[in-house]
Amino acid sequence: MTPELKTVHAAGIRFGVVDEGSGPCVLFVHGFPLDHGMWRPQIDALCDSHRVIVPDLRGFGATDTTEGTVTMERFADDLAELLDALGVREPVTLCGLSMGGYIAWQFWRRHAKRLAALVLCDTRAAPDSPEAARGRLDTAEKVLKQGRLPLVRAMIPKLFAKTTREKNASLIEDVRRMIGRASPAGIAAALRGMAGREDVRPFLRRIDVPTVVLVGREDEISPVEEMRAIADDLPHCEFVVIPNAGHMAPLENPPATNEALTALLRRLS
Ligand code: MLT
């Protein structure tokens, strides 16, 4: 079943959001430059036992775009306002992938009381190096002038494990289509926001909710050793390496990802 995307007004814009099921709330936050569709296998697995909330972030999918820069802090505040608009008062489990993880750190910094647990998939705690930040700003200009195609060409090969590239062409096509739904201005705004994001490594030891750090064994963007170092710093952390997966572990290997997620949710219940 394709989950229904509803329109919700929050933070002064219109959000496209999947809001399915009832029970303890799990909020999924997609990576760059994707949308709610990347969490389809997790929505299917959890919506019978949980309330699953899966927004398109500002500038992506069906959500409105704002031009300029969208910081990780702004994205995190958007999520808090969206939860208010949906009437969610109880603490949620927030599961973010990559840019969704950068946003998750800021959600903890700004809205810690709203968190029951955190799941950090294929993400980083370190900021961009000056060269990486400059590269992002250049890419933002290029996308505004030339459209999404150069970004799609540069990103697709880095997102997936070898097995996915060889055996799952339809999944890669789905992701290509997802990137095609993001607005160039939204892509540029998020790139500028990521370029200026905070170094959250000094705060990791203070995160006192249960955490799961999950990484695809073949992730080239946030490699296993870098994610293990994050897990080592988090006080209540389970570290999970997902086989046959790269940066898009939840899509590339849903059974292993869902097992780690449901184990956490069972521990919380
Ligand atoms: C993502 O998947 O969200 C991106 O790889 C994040 C990034 O570019 O740092």
Side-chain angles (χ1 to χ4, degrees), residues 52-91:
V52 182
I53 296 180
V54 196
D56 289 341
L57 294 169
R58 191 181 280 259
F60 297 92
T63 294
D64 288 345
T65 298
T66 41
E67 296 190 359
T69 302
V70 180
T71 61
M72 301 304 106
E73 289 85 344
R74 177 66 262 167
F75 281 127
D77 291 351
D78 280 352
L79 295 176
E81 292 190 43
L82 185 61
L83 291 176
D84 287 342
L86 292 169
V88 176
R89 302 273 171 263
E90 75 278 13

PDB file of all heavy atoms in Angstrom, residues 52-91:
ATOM      1  N   VAL A  52       3.552   6.420  12.835  1.00  0.00           N
ATOM      2  CA  VAL A  52       4.744   6.681  12.040  1.00  0.00           C
ATOM      3  C   VAL A  52       4.572   8.016  11.321  1.00  0.00           C
ATOM      4  O   VAL A  52       3.654   8.168  10.505  1.00  0.00           O
ATOM      5  CB  VAL A  52       4.943   5.537  11.015  1.00  0.00           C
ATOM      6  CG1 VAL A  52       6.202   5.749  10.207  1.00  0.00           C
ATOM      7  CG2 VAL A  52       5.023   4.192  11.729  1.00  0.00           C
ATOM      8  N   ILE A  53       5.436   8.982  11.631  1.00  0.00           N
ATOM      9  CA  ILE A  53       5.330  10.316  11.033  1.00  0.00           C
ATOM     10  C   ILE A  53       6.562  10.544  10.155  1.00  0.00           C
ATOM     11  O   ILE A  53       7.703  10.440  10.634  1.00  0.00           O
ATOM     12  CB  ILE A  53       5.219  11.391  12.128  1.00  0.00           C
ATOM     13  CG1 ILE A  53       3.916  11.164  12.911  1.00  0.00           C
ATOM     14  CG2 ILE A  53       5.262  12.798  11.525  1.00  0.00           C
ATOM     15  CD1 ILE A  53       3.652  12.131  14.026  1.00  0.00           C
ATOM     16  N   VAL A  54       6.313  10.808   8.874  1.00  0.00           N
ATOM     17  CA  VAL A  54       7.417  10.865   7.912  1.00  0.00           C
ATOM     18  C   VAL A  54       7.244  12.083   7.009  1.00  0.00           C
ATOM     19  O   VAL A  54       6.578  12.024   5.973  1.00  0.00           O
ATOM     20  CB  VAL A  54       7.469   9.578   7.056  1.00  0.00           C
ATOM     21  CG1 VAL A  54       8.818   9.468   6.341  1.00  0.00           C
ATOM     22  CG2 VAL A  54       7.220   8.337   7.890  1.00  0.00           C
ATOM     23  N   PRO A  55       7.837  13.214   7.390  1.00  0.00           N
ATOM     24  CA  PRO A  55       7.645  14.424   6.579  1.00  0.00           C
ATOM     25  C   PRO A  55       8.625  14.510   5.420  1.00  0.00           C
ATOM     26  O   PRO A  55       9.699  13.899   5.438  1.00  0.00           O
ATOM     27  CB  PRO A  55       7.949  15.548   7.582  1.00  0.00           C
ATOM     28  CG  PRO A  55       8.885  14.942   8.578  1.00  0.00           C
ATOM     29  CD  PRO A  55       8.584  13.458   8.625  1.00  0.00           C
ATOM     30  N   ASP A  56       8.245  15.298   4.421  1.00  0.00           N
ATOM     31  CA  ASP A  56       9.217  15.835   3.470  1.00  0.00           C
ATOM     32  C   ASP A  56       9.758  17.106   4.114  1.00  0.00           C
ATOM     33  O   ASP A  56       8.978  17.962   4.560  1.00  0.00           O
ATOM     34  CB  ASP A  56       8.527  16.200   2.141  1.00  0.00           C
ATOM     35  CG  ASP A  56       8.090  14.968   1.361  1.00  0.00           C
ATOM     36  OD1 ASP A  56       8.612  13.862   1.623  1.00  0.00           O
ATOM     37  OD2 ASP A  56       7.221  15.114   0.475  1.00  0.00           O
ATOM     38  N   LEU A  57      11.065  17.240   4.170  1.00  0.00           N
ATOM     39  CA  LEU A  57      11.655  18.436   4.788  1.00  0.00           C
ATOM     40  C   LEU A  57      11.444  19.655   3.885  1.00  0.00           C
ATOM     41  O   LEU A  57      11.188  19.531   2.675  1.00  0.00           O
ATOM     42  CB  LEU A  57      13.147  18.212   5.025  1.00  0.00           C
ATOM     43  CG  LEU A  57      13.482  17.118   6.055  1.00  0.00           C
ATOM     44  CD1 LEU A  57      14.979  16.788   6.004  1.00  0.00           C
ATOM     45  CD2 LEU A  57      13.084  17.537   7.468  1.00  0.00           C
ATOM     46  N   ARG A  58      11.593  20.819   4.471  1.00  0.00           N
ATOM     47  CA  ARG A  58      11.485  22.108   3.752  1.00  0.00           C
ATOM     48  C   ARG A  58      12.349  22.071   2.481  1.00  0.00           C
ATOM     49  O   ARG A  58      13.557  21.804   2.559  1.00  0.00           O
ATOM     50  CB  ARG A  58      11.998  23.190   4.705  1.00  0.00           C
ATOM     51  CG  ARG A  58      11.753  24.617   4.305  1.00  0.00           C
ATOM     52  CD  ARG A  58      12.364  25.535   5.352  1.00  0.00           C
ATOM     53  NE  ARG A  58      11.540  25.683   6.540  1.00  0.00           N
ATOM     54  CZ  ARG A  58      10.751  26.726   6.819  1.00  0.00           C
ATOM     55  NH1 ARG A  58      10.718  27.744   5.995  1.00  0.00           N
ATOM     56  NH2 ARG A  58      10.038  26.763   7.923  1.00  0.00           N
ATOM     57  N   GLY A  59      11.695  22.285   1.326  1.00  0.00           N
ATOM     58  CA  GLY A  59      12.445  22.312   0.056  1.00  0.00           C
ATOM     59  C   GLY A  59      12.507  20.978  -0.661  1.00  0.00           C
ATOM     60  O   GLY A  59      13.081  20.883  -1.749  1.00  0.00           O
ATOM     61  N   PHE A  60      11.927  19.916  -0.068  1.00  0.00           N
ATOM     62  CA  PHE A  60      12.019  18.577  -0.660  1.00  0.00           C
ATOM     63  C   PHE A  60      10.622  17.972  -0.828  1.00  0.00           C
ATOM     64  O   PHE A  60       9.693  18.329  -0.089  1.00  0.00           O
ATOM     65  CB  PHE A  60      12.891  17.670   0.218  1.00  0.00           C
ATOM     66  CG  PHE A  60      14.303  18.169   0.307  1.00  0.00           C
ATOM     67  CD1 PHE A  60      14.687  19.023   1.332  1.00  0.00           C
ATOM     68  CD2 PHE A  60      15.227  17.851  -0.681  1.00  0.00           C
ATOM     69  CE1 PHE A  60      15.981  19.526   1.391  1.00  0.00           C
ATOM     70  CE2 PHE A  60      16.521  18.349  -0.635  1.00  0.00           C
ATOM     71  CZ  PHE A  60      16.894  19.193   0.407  1.00  0.00           C
ATOM     72  N   GLY A  61      10.506  17.050  -1.807  1.00  0.00           N
ATOM     73  CA  GLY A  61       9.238  16.348  -2.017  1.00  0.00           C
ATOM     74  C   GLY A  61       8.084  17.324  -2.189  1.00  0.00           C
ATOM     75  O   GLY A  61       8.140  18.260  -2.991  1.00  0.00           O
ATOM     76  N   ALA A  62       7.041  17.134  -1.370  1.00  0.00           N
ATOM     77  CA  ALA A  62       5.818  17.950  -1.518  1.00  0.00           C
ATOM     78  C   ALA A  62       5.788  19.147  -0.568  1.00  0.00           C
ATOM     79  O   ALA A  62       4.767  19.827  -0.475  1.00  0.00           O
ATOM     80  CB  ALA A  62       4.603  17.053  -1.260  1.00  0.00           C
ATOM     81  N   THR A  63       6.871  19.394   0.145  1.00  0.00           N
ATOM     82  CA  THR A  63       6.890  20.510   1.118  1.00  0.00           C
ATOM     83  C   THR A  63       7.382  21.797   0.451  1.00  0.00           C
ATOM     84  O   THR A  63       8.239  21.755  -0.443  1.00  0.00           O
ATOM     85  CB  THR A  63       7.759  20.110   2.335  1.00  0.00           C
ATOM     86  OG1 THR A  63       7.095  19.037   3.002  1.00  0.00           O
ATOM     87  CG2 THR A  63       7.955  21.263   3.314  1.00  0.00           C
ATOM     88  N   ASP A  64       6.842  22.921   0.914  1.00  0.00           N
ATOM     89  CA  ASP A  64       7.229  24.219   0.344  1.00  0.00           C
ATOM     90  C   ASP A  64       8.728  24.475   0.501  1.00  0.00           C
ATOM     91  O   ASP A  64       9.371  23.963   1.422  1.00  0.00           O
ATOM     92  CB  ASP A  64       6.490  25.355   1.076  1.00  0.00           C
ATOM     93  CG  ASP A  64       5.011  25.403   0.720  1.00  0.00           C
ATOM     94  OD1 ASP A  64       4.621  24.775  -0.280  1.00  0.00           O
ATOM     95  OD2 ASP A  64       4.261  26.060   1.462  1.00  0.00           O
ATOM     96  N   THR A  65       9.213  25.321  -0.384  1.00  0.00           N
ATOM     97  CA  THR A  65      10.635  25.697  -0.380  1.00  0.00           C
ATOM     98  C   THR A  65      10.799  27.107   0.164  1.00  0.00           C
ATOM     99  O   THR A  65       9.953  27.966  -0.099  1.00  0.00           O
ATOM    100  CB  THR A  65      11.151  25.675  -1.840  1.00  0.00           C
ATOM    101  OG1 THR A  65      11.029  24.337  -2.324  1.00  0.00           O
ATOM    102  CG2 THR A  65      12.592  26.132  -1.948  1.00  0.00           C
ATOM    103  N   THR A  66      11.883  27.335   0.918  1.00  0.00           N
ATOM    104  CA  THR A  66      12.257  28.731   1.172  1.00  0.00           C
ATOM    105  C   THR A  66      13.660  28.923   0.609  1.00  0.00           C
ATOM    106  O   THR A  66      14.512  28.040   0.740  1.00  0.00           O
ATOM    107  CB  THR A  66      12.246  29.090   2.679  1.00  0.00           C
ATOM    108  OG1 THR A  66      12.807  28.016   3.419  1.00  0.00           O
ATOM    109  CG2 THR A  66      10.847  29.336   3.178  1.00  0.00           C
ATOM    110  N   GLU A  67      13.880  30.060   0.005  1.00  0.00           N
ATOM    111  CA  GLU A  67      15.179  30.291  -0.659  1.00  0.00           C
ATOM    112  C   GLU A  67      16.215  30.740   0.360  1.00  0.00           C
ATOM    113  O   GLU A  67      15.882  31.049   1.496  1.00  0.00           O
ATOM    114  CB  GLU A  67      15.000  31.338  -1.746  1.00  0.00           C
ATOM    115  CG  GLU A  67      14.070  30.813  -2.824  1.00  0.00           C
ATOM    116  CD  GLU A  67      14.010  31.676  -4.050  1.00  0.00           C
ATOM    117  OE1 GLU A  67      14.677  32.718  -4.080  1.00  0.00           O
ATOM    118  OE2 GLU A  67      13.299  31.280  -4.981  1.00  0.00           O
ATOM    119  N   GLY A  68      17.463  30.753  -0.050  1.00  0.00           N
ATOM    120  CA  GLY A  68      18.538  31.225   0.831  1.00  0.00           C
ATOM    121  C   GLY A  68      19.232  30.053   1.488  1.00  0.00           C
ATOM    122  O   GLY A  68      19.700  29.140   0.804  1.00  0.00           O
ATOM    123  N   THR A  69      19.263  30.083   2.829  1.00  0.00           N
ATOM    124  CA  THR A  69      19.932  29.007   3.581  1.00  0.00           C
ATOM    125  C   THR A  69      18.925  28.403   4.546  1.00  0.00           C
ATOM    126  O   THR A  69      18.219  29.132   5.228  1.00  0.00           O
ATOM    127  CB  THR A  69      21.104  29.605   4.414  1.00  0.00           C
ATOM    128  OG1 THR A  69      21.999  30.255   3.528  1.00  0.00           O
ATOM    129  CG2 THR A  69      21.833  28.526   5.202  1.00  0.00           C
ATOM    130  N   VAL A  70      18.846  27.079   4.598  1.00  0.00           N
ATOM    131  CA  VAL A  70      18.049  26.440   5.651  1.00  0.00           C
ATOM    132  C   VAL A  70      19.028  25.695   6.560  1.00  0.00           C
ATOM    133  O   VAL A  70      19.688  24.733   6.142  1.00  0.00           O
ATOM    134  CB  VAL A  70      16.977  25.474   5.086  1.00  0.00           C
ATOM    135  CG1 VAL A  70      16.190  24.856   6.240  1.00  0.00           C
ATOM    136  CG2 VAL A  70      16.013  26.215   4.157  1.00  0.00           C
ATOM    137  N   THR A  71      19.150  26.162   7.795  1.00  0.00           N
ATOM    138  CA  THR A  71      20.119  25.570   8.736  1.00  0.00           C
ATOM    139  C   THR A  71      19.552  24.269   9.311  1.00  0.00           C
ATOM    140  O   THR A  71      18.334  24.030   9.273  1.00  0.00           O
ATOM    141  CB  THR A  71      20.397  26.540   9.899  1.00  0.00           C
ATOM    142  OG1 THR A  71      19.144  26.757  10.587  1.00  0.00           O
ATOM    143  CG2 THR A  71      20.956  27.869   9.421  1.00  0.00           C
ATOM    144  N   MET A  72      20.444  23.469   9.906  1.00  0.00           N
ATOM    145  CA  MET A  72      19.994  22.234  10.557  1.00  0.00           C
ATOM    146  C   MET A  72      19.080  22.589  11.743  1.00  0.00           C
ATOM    147  O   MET A  72      18.143  21.867  12.068  1.00  0.00           O
ATOM    148  CB  MET A  72      21.186  21.404  11.038  1.00  0.00           C
ATOM    149  CG  MET A  72      22.155  20.988   9.924  1.00  0.00           C
ATOM    150  SD  MET A  72      21.377  20.074   8.552  1.00  0.00           S
ATOM    151  CE  MET A  72      21.368  21.321   7.255  1.00  0.00           C
ATOM    152  N   GLU A  73      19.359  23.743  12.373  1.00  0.00           N
ATOM    153  CA  GLU A  73      18.525  24.206  13.487  1.00  0.00           C
ATOM    154  C   GLU A  73      17.100  24.506  12.988  1.00  0.00           C
ATOM    155  O   GLU A  73      16.117  24.159  13.635  1.00  0.00           O
ATOM    156  CB  GLU A  73      19.129  25.474  14.113  1.00  0.00           C
ATOM    157  CG  GLU A  73      20.420  25.243  14.895  1.00  0.00           C
ATOM    158  CD  GLU A  73      21.684  25.247  14.028  1.00  0.00           C
ATOM    159  OE1 GLU A  73      21.571  25.123  12.780  1.00  0.00           O
ATOM    160  OE2 GLU A  73      22.774  25.346  14.602  1.00  0.00           O
ATOM    161  N   ARG A  74      17.001  25.168  11.815  1.00  0.00           N
ATOM    162  CA  ARG A  74      15.681  25.486  11.242  1.00  0.00           C
ATOM    163  C   ARG A  74      14.910  24.200  10.936  1.00  0.00           C
ATOM    164  O   ARG A  74      13.733  24.069  11.235  1.00  0.00           O
ATOM    165  CB  ARG A  74      15.874  26.324   9.964  1.00  0.00           C
ATOM    166  CG  ARG A  74      14.643  26.702   9.180  1.00  0.00           C
ATOM    167  CD  ARG A  74      13.717  27.640   9.922  1.00  0.00           C
ATOM    168  NE  ARG A  74      12.616  26.922  10.544  1.00  0.00           N
ATOM    169  CZ  ARG A  74      11.793  27.438  11.445  1.00  0.00           C
ATOM    170  NH1 ARG A  74      11.915  28.657  11.856  1.00  0.00           N
ATOM    171  NH2 ARG A  74      10.823  26.722  11.961  1.00  0.00           N
ATOM    172  N   PHE A  75      15.607  23.228  10.319  1.00  0.00           N
ATOM    173  CA  PHE A  75      14.936  21.956  10.022  1.00  0.00           C
ATOM    174  C   PHE A  75      14.426  21.314  11.326  1.00  0.00           C
ATOM    175  O   PHE A  75      13.332  20.752  11.374  1.00  0.00           O
ATOM    176  CB  PHE A  75      15.898  20.979   9.340  1.00  0.00           C
ATOM    177  CG  PHE A  75      16.140  21.209   7.869  1.00  0.00           C
ATOM    178  CD1 PHE A  75      17.435  21.322   7.382  1.00  0.00           C
ATOM    179  CD2 PHE A  75      15.093  21.257   6.966  1.00  0.00           C
ATOM    180  CE1 PHE A  75      17.681  21.491   6.018  1.00  0.00           C
ATOM    181  CE2 PHE A  75      15.327  21.427   5.587  1.00  0.00           C
ATOM    182  CZ  PHE A  75      16.625  21.546   5.123  1.00  0.00           C
ATOM    183  N   ALA A  76      15.256  21.366  12.385  1.00  0.00           N
ATOM    184  CA  ALA A  76      14.863  20.742  13.667  1.00  0.00           C
ATOM    185  C   ALA A  76      13.641  21.457  14.246  1.00  0.00           C
ATOM    186  O   ALA A  76      12.692  20.808  14.727  1.00  0.00           O
ATOM    187  CB  ALA A  76      16.026  20.777  14.649  1.00  0.00           C
ATOM    188  N   ASP A  77      13.641  22.791  14.182  1.00  0.00           N
ATOM    189  CA  ASP A  77      12.478  23.541  14.699  1.00  0.00           C
ATOM    190  C   ASP A  77      11.236  23.250  13.857  1.00  0.00           C
ATOM    191  O   ASP A  77      10.122  23.179  14.391  1.00  0.00           O
ATOM    192  CB  ASP A  77      12.773  25.040  14.720  1.00  0.00           C
ATOM    193  CG  ASP A  77      13.816  25.411  15.777  1.00  0.00           C
ATOM    194  OD1 ASP A  77      14.173  24.541  16.599  1.00  0.00           O
ATOM    195  OD2 ASP A  77      14.275  26.567  15.773  1.00  0.00           O
ATOM    196  N   ASP A  78      11.431  23.085  12.544  1.00  0.00           N
ATOM    197  CA  ASP A  78      10.294  22.700  11.683  1.00  0.00           C
ATOM    198  C   ASP A  78       9.651  21.416  12.212  1.00  0.00           C
ATOM    199  O   ASP A  78       8.420  21.297  12.274  1.00  0.00           O
ATOM    200  CB  ASP A  78      10.761  22.410  10.242  1.00  0.00           C
ATOM    201  CG  ASP A  78      10.965  23.675   9.405  1.00  0.00           C
ATOM    202  OD1 ASP A  78      10.607  24.777   9.864  1.00  0.00           O
ATOM    203  OD2 ASP A  78      11.489  23.532   8.278  1.00  0.00           O
ATOM    204  N   LEU A  79      10.501  20.439  12.575  1.00  0.00           N
ATOM    205  CA  LEU A  79       9.963  19.149  13.035  1.00  0.00           C
ATOM    206  C   LEU A  79       9.173  19.332  14.324  1.00  0.00           C
ATOM    207  O   LEU A  79       8.096  18.753  14.493  1.00  0.00           O
ATOM    208  CB  LEU A  79      11.103  18.135  13.252  1.00  0.00           C
ATOM    209  CG  LEU A  79      11.872  17.719  11.997  1.00  0.00           C
ATOM    210  CD1 LEU A  79      13.038  16.795  12.363  1.00  0.00           C
ATOM    211  CD2 LEU A  79      10.950  17.032  10.990  1.00  0.00           C
ATOM    212  N   ALA A  80       9.700  20.159  15.240  1.00  0.00           N
ATOM    213  CA  ALA A  80       8.997  20.380  16.507  1.00  0.00           C
ATOM    214  C   ALA A  80       7.637  21.040  16.239  1.00  0.00           C
ATOM    215  O   ALA A  80       6.613  20.650  16.822  1.00  0.00           O
ATOM    216  CB  ALA A  80       9.845  21.243  17.435  1.00  0.00           C
ATOM    217  N   GLU A  81       7.629  22.004  15.307  1.00  0.00           N
ATOM    218  CA  GLU A  81       6.356  22.685  15.014  1.00  0.00           C
ATOM    219  C   GLU A  81       5.382  21.759  14.290  1.00  0.00           C
ATOM    220  O   GLU A  81       4.175  21.833  14.473  1.00  0.00           O
ATOM    221  CB  GLU A  81       6.616  23.966  14.216  1.00  0.00           C
ATOM    222  CG  GLU A  81       7.344  24.995  15.074  1.00  0.00           C
ATOM    223  CD  GLU A  81       7.422  26.371  14.427  1.00  0.00           C
ATOM    224  OE1 GLU A  81       6.415  26.833  13.864  1.00  0.00           O
ATOM    225  OE2 GLU A  81       8.498  26.983  14.495  1.00  0.00           O
ATOM    226  N   LEU A  82       5.939  20.870  13.476  1.00  0.00           N
ATOM    227  CA  LEU A  82       5.089  19.892  12.790  1.00  0.00           C
ATOM    228  C   LEU A  82       4.463  18.934  13.813  1.00  0.00           C
ATOM    229  O   LEU A  82       3.270  18.607  13.729  1.00  0.00           O
ATOM    230  CB  LEU A  82       5.944  19.124  11.773  1.00  0.00           C
ATOM    231  CG  LEU A  82       5.225  18.142  10.869  1.00  0.00           C
ATOM    232  CD1 LEU A  82       4.184  18.851  10.003  1.00  0.00           C
ATOM    233  CD2 LEU A  82       6.247  17.439   9.961  1.00  0.00           C
ATOM    234  N   LEU A  83       5.245  18.492  14.789  1.00  0.00           N
ATOM    235  CA  LEU A  83       4.691  17.607  15.832  1.00  0.00           C
ATOM    236  C   LEU A  83       3.574  18.324  16.585  1.00  0.00           C
ATOM    237  O   LEU A  83       2.531  17.738  16.880  1.00  0.00           O
ATOM    238  CB  LEU A  83       5.792  17.153  16.813  1.00  0.00           C
ATOM    239  CG  LEU A  83       6.839  16.185  16.251  1.00  0.00           C
ATOM    240  CD1 LEU A  83       7.920  15.911  17.302  1.00  0.00           C
ATOM    241  CD2 LEU A  83       6.206  14.866  15.791  1.00  0.00           C
ATOM    242  N   ASP A  84       3.785  19.618  16.875  1.00  0.00           N
ATOM    243  CA  ASP A  84       2.716  20.398  17.531  1.00  0.00           C
ATOM    244  C   ASP A  84       1.458  20.384  16.669  1.00  0.00           C
ATOM    245  O   ASP A  84       0.359  20.142  17.162  1.00  0.00           O
ATOM    246  CB  ASP A  84       3.145  21.858  17.726  1.00  0.00           C
ATOM    247  CG  ASP A  84       4.172  22.006  18.837  1.00  0.00           C
ATOM    248  OD1 ASP A  84       4.290  21.086  19.663  1.00  0.00           O
ATOM    249  OD2 ASP A  84       4.856  23.049  18.857  1.00  0.00           O
ATOM    250  N   ALA A  85       1.649  20.663  15.366  1.00  0.00           N
ATOM    251  CA  ALA A  85       0.492  20.745  14.457  1.00  0.00           C
ATOM    252  C   ALA A  85      -0.242  19.410  14.371  1.00  0.00           C
ATOM    253  O   ALA A  85      -1.452  19.373  14.152  1.00  0.00           O
ATOM    254  CB  ALA A  85       0.940  21.202  13.070  1.00  0.00           C
ATOM    255  N   LEU A  86       0.496  18.308  14.548  1.00  0.00           N
ATOM    256  CA  LEU A  86      -0.124  16.979  14.466  1.00  0.00           C
ATOM    257  C   LEU A  86      -0.642  16.516  15.836  1.00  0.00           C
ATOM    258  O   LEU A  86      -1.114  15.388  15.979  1.00  0.00           O
ATOM    259  CB  LEU A  86       0.896  15.959  13.932  1.00  0.00           C
ATOM    260  CG  LEU A  86       1.310  16.148  12.466  1.00  0.00           C
ATOM    261  CD1 LEU A  86       2.504  15.262  12.112  1.00  0.00           C
ATOM    262  CD2 LEU A  86       0.132  15.838  11.533  1.00  0.00           C
ATOM    263  N   GLY A  87      -0.479  17.373  16.842  1.00  0.00           N
ATOM    264  CA  GLY A  87      -0.995  17.042  18.184  1.00  0.00           C
ATOM    265  C   GLY A  87      -0.155  16.020  18.920  1.00  0.00           C
ATOM    266  O   GLY A  87      -0.654  15.347  19.826  1.00  0.00           O
ATOM    267  N   VAL A  88       1.106  15.881  18.547  1.00  0.00           N
ATOM    268  CA  VAL A  88       1.970  14.900  19.236  1.00  0.00           C
ATOM    269  C   VAL A  88       2.593  15.578  20.453  1.00  0.00           C
ATOM    270  O   VAL A  88       3.384  16.513  20.310  1.00  0.00           O
ATOM    271  CB  VAL A  88       3.083  14.370  18.295  1.00  0.00           C
ATOM    272  CG1 VAL A  88       4.026  13.436  19.050  1.00  0.00           C
ATOM    273  CG2 VAL A  88       2.476  13.678  17.095  1.00  0.00           C
ATOM    274  N   ARG A  89       2.242  15.107  21.636  1.00  0.00           N
ATOM    275  CA  ARG A  89       2.764  15.708  22.868  1.00  0.00           C
ATOM    276  C   ARG A  89       3.805  14.797  23.527  1.00  0.00           C
ATOM    277  O   ARG A  89       4.676  15.251  24.237  1.00  0.00           O
ATOM    278  CB  ARG A  89       1.630  15.939  23.879  1.00  0.00           C
ATOM    279  CG  ARG A  89       0.525  16.825  23.363  1.00  0.00           C
ATOM    280  CD  ARG A  89       0.804  18.320  23.602  1.00  0.00           C
ATOM    281  NE  ARG A  89      -0.186  19.117  22.887  1.00  0.00           N
ATOM    282  CZ  ARG A  89       0.019  19.659  21.691  1.00  0.00           C
ATOM    283  NH1 ARG A  89       1.170  19.529  21.080  1.00  0.00           N
ATOM    284  NH2 ARG A  89      -0.929  20.341  21.074  1.00  0.00           N
ATOM    285  N   GLU A  90       3.662  13.468  23.317  1.00  0.00           N
ATOM    286  CA  GLU A  90       4.547  12.552  24.031  1.00  0.00           C
ATOM    287  C   GLU A  90       5.919  12.495  23.339  1.00  0.00           C
ATOM    288  O   GLU A  90       6.030  12.794  22.141  1.00  0.00           O
ATOM    289  CB  GLU A  90       3.925  11.145  24.119  1.00  0.00           C
ATOM    290  CG  GLU A  90       3.960  10.326  22.852  1.00  0.00           C
ATOM    291  CD  GLU A  90       2.834  10.656  21.862  1.00  0.00           C
ATOM    292  OE1 GLU A  90       2.144  11.682  22.015  1.00  0.00           O
ATOM    293  OE2 GLU A  90       2.684   9.873  20.908  1.00  0.00           O
ATOM    294  N   PRO A  91       6.973  12.094  24.083  1.00  0.00           N
ATOM    295  CA  PRO A  91       8.301  11.996  23.461  1.00  0.00           C
ATOM    296  C   PRO A  91       8.317  10.975  22.315  1.00  0.00           C
ATOM    297  O   PRO A  91       7.647   9.949  22.381  1.00  0.00           O
ATOM    298  CB  PRO A  91       9.203  11.538  24.616  1.00  0.00           C
ATOM    299  CG  PRO A  91       8.464  11.923  25.855  1.00  0.00           C
ATOM    300  CD  PRO A  91       7.001  11.798  25.521  1.00  0.00           C
TER     301      PRO A  91
END
